[in-house]
Amino acid sequence: MLSDYSRYRRIFILVFVIVLVACSKHKPVPPPIVHINPSPQQNYVVTMRVDNSISNISNVEVVKTYEISNIRECSPIDYTFSMGGSHRPQSKKVLAKYVASESHEISTEFSADYFQDENYYAMGICRWGYSGVRYIFEYNDVKYYVVMPEESIRMLLETAYFCRKPHKEKNNFIKVCTLKETALSYGSEGDYFTTTISVKRINKGDGGH
């Protein structure tokens, strides 16, 4: 006579096989073929200013991330994405051009409506939003990430991020810069240098990408 464990195990395996067979009959939902908005209306300049004590940063990258905000309303369920099917998130990362100044400032133009909203799946208009701008740079062979989220850009905030200085430790290859409250719960101000990100709105005629 089968134990409860064996019985439940068999039921689980049977259900798993049924779901696996069902999923194999479906194709994944393809990513949308996107088009760049020829006339963006929501344009900004985002600037990162690095602490003056830090002079030898290198390998700078600025990445802007966009995502479809109403994916549940405008795309079909993808039965290959998860057990039982779900809506597959659709996002795009754009490597941005930037201008670096001698005063330790790195600026990039940013359009919140960079992609055109379109009816990709014949289910209604998919609307693109953005999740933020990410700065990546290296200092003393350590890679740093600073992320300015969507709400800070929308509110035109100036935000200081604390980046832990390189020192001899095991995890010294990638560091994420954080807000002051979070940083100081792990060390004193002397353990960090700061990067400050500011945002300003620019006129339609100025462009922005």
Side-chain angles (χ1 to χ4, degrees):
M1 188 174 182
L2 292 174
S3 65
D4 288 343
Y5 172 78
S6 298
R7 187 181 302 110
Y8 290 136
R9 185 170 179 271
R10 287 191 173 187
I11 293 173
F12 174 80
I13 293 174
L14 179 61
V15 171
F16 179 77
V17 170
I18 292 173
V19 172
L20 190 64
V21 171
C23 289
S24 66
K25 297 179 181 179
H26 297 276
K27 294 182 179 180
V29 175
I33 300 175
V34 300
H35 298 94
I36 296 173
N37 185 354
S39 181
Q41 304 295 311
Q42 303 174 47
N43 303 314
Y44 305 86
V45 170
V46 181
T47 301
M48 182 181 75
R49 185 173 66 255
V50 183
D51 189 320
N52 287 336
S53 65
I54 307 301
S55 59
N56 57 336
I57 68 171
S58 60
N59 297 329
V60 177
E61 289 185 359
V62 185
V63 180
K64 299 172 289 189
T65 304
Y66 298 85
E67 58 188 12
I68 293 177
S69 59
N70 63 330
I71 194 68
R72 291 177 177 272
E73 290 76 36
C74 72
S75 72
I77 294 176
D78 191 328
Y79 290 97
T80 68
F81 184 58
S82 63
M83 186 176 293
S86 62
H87 295 275
R88 182 184 291 270
Q90 299 291 349
S91 63
K92 295 286 183 182
K93 293 181 179 179
V94 179
L95 190 62
K97 296 180 180 179
Y98 64 87
V99 176
S101 71
E102 294 181 358
S103 57
H104 299 81
E105 292 185 347
I106 302 169
S107 298
T108 185
E109 293 185 1
F110 172 80
S111 294
D113 50 349
Y114 180 70
F115 291 118
Q116 286 185 325
D117 298 336
E118 297 186 56
N119 188 355
Y120 300 112
Y121 303 105
M123 295 182 63
I125 299 295
C126 288
R127 305 194 182 282
W128 286 94
Y130 62 98
S131 56
V133 176
R134 180 177 63 188
Y135 283 86
I136 307 166
F137 62 92
E138 290 185 15
Y139 168 60
N140 282 2
D141 298 322
V142 178
K143 182 174 286 188
Y144 288 87
Y145 289 82
V146 186
V147 179
M148 189 68 161
E150 176 270 338
E151 60 270 20
S152 297
I153 296 174
R154 176 167 37 85
M155 297 174 67
L156 305 180
L157 296 180
E158 179 173 285
T159 308
Y161 294 89
F162 279 55
C163 308
R164 194 170 184 88
K165 294 177 181 177
H167 58 88
K168 294 181 180 180
E169 59 178 19
K170 291 183 180 180
N171 185 20
N172 202 34
F173 300 103
I174 299 177
K175 293 183 181 294
V176 178
C177 302
T178 61
L179 297 177
K180 182 176 181 178
E181 294 78 9
T182 302
L184 295 186
S185 64
Y186 295 96
S188 64
E189 288 197 29
D191 296 325
Y192 298 88
F193 65 91
T194 59
T195 60
T196 303
I197 299 184
S198 59
V199 185
K200 70 175 183 178
R201 191 79 182 257
I202 58 177
N203 295 328
K204 175 183 175 182
D206 294 334
H209 300 287

